[in-house]
Amino acid sequence: HVTGRSVVPFLRAHPDAIVRCESHRFFDRSLAASERYDERVKSVALCDDPSLAALVTPTAVMLVDRPSGKRRNKKSIPARDAIVRLDPKGRVLLTLAAKARLWDAHTGAELPALAFKLSRIDDAAFSADGTRLAIAGLGGTKKNPQRLVFLWDVATWSPCGTLEATYSEAPTQVALSPDGSHVVVAHAALEAFS
């Protein structure tokens, strides 16, 4: 957490840092020199590609070239998708809201939809090697709710499993091991799956 006058010294010490300032303005030293993003930033996603960032503002999801500050996607990605994730290689953008949507991270074109059913999506994560995607949330019925995690093979976008965690109303967070072979689900409890 960086505030006020500490922003500039922090950025000098951490040149690749992205800071969400108290004013909710997106500030990145490489972007600040070329283009200011004065819109409120709700969410930021980064990947291993240091030239790419995904920003969610109230009006759009923007794929931004960090060195130049220029917006990469010409086509508007709806801002109602407030949670974003980039795959580690920066090829695919995932937006989460009432449904999960996939986008080409270079063009902004929408990719085919993933087939799954959740009444509430809480979180998603790519494995560090980029081979797996996990999406977690609430599924089932009102009488029999379930805490579910859906898994996909990123190369083919084919489903590779569904996990059922212990039910709780608490929002879920999900993480994958670097090779995608283990899944950790955090909600009211912490659970691990292989």
Side-chain angles (χ1 to χ4, degrees), residues 90-133:
R91 296 173 300 190
V92 176
L93 171 71
L94 172 71
T95 58
L96 302 169
K99 62 182 181 174
R101 297 167 76 181
L102 296 169
W103 309 86
D104 182 299
H106 296 284
T107 66
E110 190 165 5
L111 301 174
L114 300 173
F116 69 99
K117 187 172 182 177
L118 289 171
S119 57
R120 183 181 86 203
I121 299 173
D122 291 332
D123 195 19
F126 285 96
S127 60
D129 66 2
T131 61
R132 296 277 185 266
L133 168 65

Side-chain angles (χ1 to χ4, degrees), residues 7 60 67 75 115 118 153 155 157:
V7 170
K75 185 178 177 190
L118 289 171
D153 179 303
W157 293 114

Side-chain angles (χ1 to χ4, degrees), residues 8-18 27-31 66:
V8 172
F10 175 83
L11 288 172
R12 283 188 187 126
H14 306 283
D16 293 329
I18 287 188
F27 189 90
D28 175 313
R29 187 166 73 174
S30 61
L31 292 177
R66 289 181 65 193

Side-chain angles (χ1 to χ4, degrees), residues 23-36:
S23 65
H24 300 285
R25 288 192 172 130
F26 173 73
F27 189 90
D28 175 313
R29 187 166 73 174
S30 61
L31 292 177
S34 58
E35 184 174 339
R36 277 184 57 187

Side-chain angles (χ1 to χ4, degrees), residues 135-150:
I135 297 178
L138 288 178
T141 64
K142 287 188 179 192
K143 287 186 177 183
N144 185 25
Q146 298 172 304
R147 170 94 28 223
L148 299 172
V149 178
F150 292 91

